[in-house]
Structure formats: structure tokens, C-alpha cells
Amino acid sequence: MIAVIDYKAGNLTSVVKALKYLGAETQVTQDPEVVRAAAKVVLPGVGHFQSTQLLADLGLTDAVRESVAKGAWFLGICVGLQWLFAGSTEAPEVAGLGHFAGMCERFPASFEGPELKSPHVGWNSLEEVRADSKLLREVQEGGFVYYTHSWRAPVINATAAVTNYGGAFTGVVERENVMGVQFHPEKSSAVGLQVLKNFVEL
Amino acid sequence: MLTKRIIACLDVRGGRVVKGVQFVDIVDAGDPAELAHRHAAAGADEIVLLDITATHEGRGTLLDTVKRTAATLFVPFTVGGGIRSADDAAAVFDAGADKVSINSSAIARPELIGEIGGSFGAQAVIVAIDARRGAAGADDAEVYVSGGRKATGLRVVDWAREAEERGAGEILLTSMDTDGMRNGFDCELTARVSEAVQIPVIASGGAGSAAHFAEVFGKGKADAALAASIFHFGVTDSRELKAELRRAGVSVRLPC
């Protein structure tokens, strides 16, 4: 069973629909006990980093920390990936899980001269795909995925693939049982479904 | 590299996809769910479904159509037509849409942009602008509402800026002058709007060939382009279109 955490950050319909399509059993929840008991946890999220404050308020941050320490598989999507880091300049007063080092920052207004549009919306490619990534099994270098975001996570040791827009940022992060994707796998056609399938089959 | 998006648009009336020329002369083009899947399989980057008569009729048909279309669609899916409140938007998201497109209702009550964005994120709000050039051409292009039937007196560039300030995630700009003519997009107007805002601009109206798309991505500075009729009637599909664009040096996602 995959616990899908509902923290009122946008719309869960698409993520749950895609997981079910791949044959996974899901439970949408706000209950820390359900998260502690789950073998797999998905934290979706679109919208503002501020909304992750609710995770702390509901006791879900501690529940995730314990469940990850016990070895449960964890997948953060979009803001869910950003939350795995120390925090975000989008809501500096709200702490992230701090599982990975570094702060998420806004795209710069320009990059190497020309103006950079923000949000970064559309299909962009995954580069420097790490061969040992479990989440990216059978995902090709250069595979296209759908992004929509204005803040991004830095490239760190645990980065499993980068995407270039105003410089490289973390498209996929993975260390042992903790994973995150900045793009929307549920909206990324065949490549996205492959990523979710890899997670479902772990 | 961020690619240019090709968006297939389905204009729906009474649950069927239709296509008009300059907003009139409507003909039947098929079932929305079936066409959406066909487009996605052929490599369309997104699907937009516009219920063109929802403003005058009920909304039940729309929600049913959205649900049916979204069930197994794994590319971004935008729905527009008759969305007048954050509750209307919530119902559409619940049925499986990823973004909503608002037009007349945003002009009537601009706060709506922020209200939907506040609950669902800016990325979920597209402000659609129907534009017609004035006496001075692209410079004094004016915003129209109610399916192009009513002039508002607003300048297109001013309204696009205001929509961005109020929290729109994207602008969908339709030129009423070029719509349905298949003679090319209004590149001049699209470039004006694209330069005026930071958020992505989707060009619409006038797609007839791959060259038109290349032109609007280049000269028109569009981030995405939307078309309907050239796909529905099998003149071309996204796969052929993208192959041609790639040969022309435009960065696009090729379907697997």
C-alpha cells in the first residue's frame, strides 16, 4: 500500500490516478499512523512551499522521518522534492525535512545574458542520468518530462539527474530509500509512467 | 533544453468536438476523449478542452466530458469554459483537469485569478485573451469577451500584464483576426505580449503549416502554440509537425 499524503497543496487526483493505473493500491491520508505503517509514501504537491507547514502541524514530518528511518520508500514530487531539502527561499520561515543539504531558490531573472522566463513550464530533458538510480531504471538520457515550477533545488551528491534551465538544477534526487522528482511524472507521458512504475515495483 | 510546446485544442459544444472559422461556421469533429488520446499518442505536449458554449448552457456535460477524457490521459490537461468561481474551478480540477483557462469571467472579476491560484497554485491558472487588432494594428489590439462577441475597451498588452500581476501562470492569446484561417499566427501581436510578461505565452489562431509554428516560436516569441483544425481533419498530426519543426531547428519533444 502506498500512502499518498494530502496536505492541501493543490490537486492529488492526477497522481493517485496514475498510481492506480499502474496497479498500485493507494490510500490518501493526513494520518501520521497511516504514514508510519506504510511501506511506501508519496508526497505530491504543487503550489507554495508555505503549504508544507501543515506537515509539521499535523505531525507528519516526524512520521515521515520515522518511516524513512525504518526503510520505507519515499517519493516527493515537485514541492514534495523541495521539502526533502533544508528549506526554500519561497517560505524561509518554514523548515524542510532537511534530509538533503541545501536550500531551494527561485530561478534567476536572467541567465548568461538573456532574460529567463519564470515559471519554468513545459517539457525539458533529463541529463546526467545516474546509471545506478532505481527510480530512473530504463529512463533514457535526454528523456523529456513535464515541469512547472519557479523554485528549484540545487545539484548535490544525491542528485540522480539534472535538468538545465538557467543552469543545472536537481531534476531527480535519490539516496537509498528516499527519492524525489521536480517534474510531474503523472503528466510526463511514457517517461513519467516509467518512473512511477519503477517506484511502484520497488 | 526546454522545448517549445505543441498544444492540441478541442472546442467542445454539447459534448462533441467542433471547429469554427473566426468563431462561427461550426462543424462536427468527433468525440473529445477519443480525440484527446489520439493527439497525446501522436505527441501533442498538452491537451486543452474548451467548452465554447458553457457560458450560455449548463455545466454538467463539461464535467462528465472532463472526467472521461482525463481518466487515462498522462499529459497536462487544461479545461476552459464557464468557470466563474473558485468552486467551479475546484469541480473541474476534481474531474481531472490540471489547469483551468478563464476568459470572460476574469475580465468581469479579475480577483478570480488570485482566488483560483491561491488554492491550486499559479501554474493551474491560464488567462485566455481573445484579441482583435485595432486601427493601429497590433499596438491597439483590444480584448474581446463572450466568445468574441463583445469588445471590452481593454488593450491586450495591459490586460496581459494585469493578469500576470494577479497571479496567472500562463497567457493563452488567441487572435480573432487569424483564427481558423490557416494563414499563420499573429506573430507581431504575440511578440508584443510575450515581451510584456514574464510568464509563458501560448499563441493561438491561424495555424496552417509547420512553417507557421516555426514563425510564431521565432518571430512571435511564443513559448507554446495551440491548434485545432489542422489536427482534427488529419491535415497533419503532432508527430509530422514536430519532425518538420526539428528539421527547421526548433527544439521540440519527439514522441516515443
Side-chain angles (χ1 to χ4, degrees):
Chain A
M1 196 273 296
I2 301 179
V4 180
I5 299 180
D6 180 11
Y7 60 110
K8 305 294 165 208
N11 184 2
L12 296 178
T13 319
S14 301
V15 173
V16 171
K17 199 174 66 186
L19 290 170
K20 283 187 177 156
Y21 175 80
L22 293 165
E25 259 185 74
T26 58
Q27 185 176 352
V28 174
T29 187
Q30 288 197 331
D31 183 349
E33 291 316 314
V34 172
V35 171
R36 281 191 181 90
K40 286 177 187 168
V41 180
V42 172
L43 182 70
V46 286
H48 205 281
F49 195 83
Q50 177 71 49
S51 56
T52 63
Q53 177 62 45
L54 192 64
L55 297 171
D57 297 347
L58 295 173
L60 287 162
T61 305
D62 291 336
V64 167
R65 205 167 265 141
E66 283 169 40
S67 104
V68 161
K70 278 192 303 192
W73 297 100
F74 182 93
L75 176 64
I77 299 173
C78 194
V79 174
L81 167 141
Q82 297 178 6
W83 180 74
L84 290 171
F85 286 74
S88 169
T89 57
E90 187 176 21
E93 68 288 358
V94 178
L97 186 69
H99 189 84
F100 298 117
M103 285 290 282
C104 299
E105 289 181 353
R106 203 175 210 291
F107 283 105
S110 63
F111 181 69
E112 291 176 352
E115 186 191 46
L116 192 69
K117 281 207 172 194
S118 182
H120 171 227
V121 178
W123 297 79
N124 204 331
S125 51
L126 292 171
E127 313 283 345
E128 296 173 43
V129 173
R130 226 169 64 198
D132 66 347
S133 166
K134 290 190 172 71
L135 196 58
L136 297 178
R137 196 170 49 84
E138 287 176 42
V139 171
Q140 306 289 319
E141 178 79 15
F144 284 105
V145 289
Y146 183 79
Y147 285 96
T148 174
H149 61 130
S150 297
W151 271 259
R152 57 174 180 182
V155 177
I156 59 169
N157 281 339
T159 297
V162 303
T163 288
N164 287 292
Y165 188 72
F169 65 87
T170 288
V172 182
V173 68
E174 174 179 333
R175 193 169 67 207
E176 292 163 5
N177 55 328
V178 179
M179 308 165 168
V181 292
Q182 177 62 62
F183 59 87
H184 288 275
E186 75 281 11
K187 291 288 129 193
S188 296
S189 197
V191 177
L193 289 177
Q194 179 67 44
V195 170
L196 289 176
K197 182 166 172 276
N198 290 343
F199 185 76
V200 168
E201 289 177 354
L202 281 169
Chain B
M1 184 172 190
L2 181 63
T3 55
K4 298 290 187 182
R5 286 174 283 156
I6 304 294
I7 302 176
C9 179
L10 311 174
D11 289 331
V12 173
R13 178 178 181 158
R16 296 287 289 176
V17 177
V18 294
K19 184 58 198 166
V21 175
Q22 285 184 315
F23 289 38
V24 289
D25 293 341
I26 307 286
V27 290
D28 187 273
D31 174 66
E34 193 190 312
L35 280 166
H37 285 89
R38 206 195 297 166
H39 288 313
D45 294 314
E46 295 191 37
I47 306 295
V48 172
L49 188 153
L50 295 178
D51 193 345
I52 56 173
T53 51
T55 317
H56 328 284
E57 298 164 2
R59 305 187 53 256
T61 319
L62 174 68
L63 290 177
D64 180 60
T65 304
V66 171
K67 207 169 238 170
R68 217 159 43 82
T69 306
T72 54
L73 190 65
F74 299 110
V75 296
F77 180 38
T78 299
V79 173
I83 296 163
R84 284 190 217 95
S85 67
D87 284 347
D88 287 346
V92 171
F93 289 128
D94 230 32
D98 302 298
K99 316 181 195 183
V100 293
S101 168
I102 52 175
N103 188 334
S104 305
S105 55
I107 296 272
R109 210 169 60 78
E111 301 79 32
L112 181 61
I113 299 168
E115 287 167 13
I116 300 173
S119 307
F120 296 94
Q123 85 296 327
V125 190
I126 296 180
V127 170
I129 303 176
D130 293 335
R132 177 168 277 166
R133 285 174 172 230
D139 278 330
D140 65 347
E142 188 182 346
V143 180
Y144 280 68
V145 290
S146 300
R149 283 184 293 270
K150 222 166 81 191
T152 62
L154 280 167
R155 279 184 70 232
V156 170
V157 167
D158 294 340
W159 173 233
R161 279 206 190 101
E162 181 178 347
E164 175 181 34
E165 274 164 28
R166 289 183 176 274
E170 295 178 73
I171 300 287
L172 166 55
L173 177 68
T174 300
S175 162
M176 294 169 61
D177 301 303
T178 58
D179 185 64
M181 306 297 282
R182 300 190 203 174
N183 286 328
F185 296 91
D186 189 336
C187 292
E188 201 186 338
L189 179 61
T190 307
R192 293 287 159 89
V193 175
S194 188
E195 282 163 359
V197 296
Q198 268 276 307
I199 53 177
V201 173
I202 305 161
S204 156
S209 70
H212 294 151
F213 284 89
E215 198 179 58
V216 82
F217 291 142
K219 215 169 76 186
K221 301 189 174 175
D223 301 283
L226 174 144
S229 57
I230 66 159
F231 298 136
H232 299 329
F233 300 115
V235 176
T236 185
D237 68 14
S238 295
R239 196 183 305 269
E240 294 168 39
L241 173 62
K242 284 179 158 182
E244 260 188 77
L245 285 172
R246 197 169 258 203
R247 281 195 292 276
V250 178
S251 164
V252 288
R253 173 186 71 111
L254 291 185
C256 316

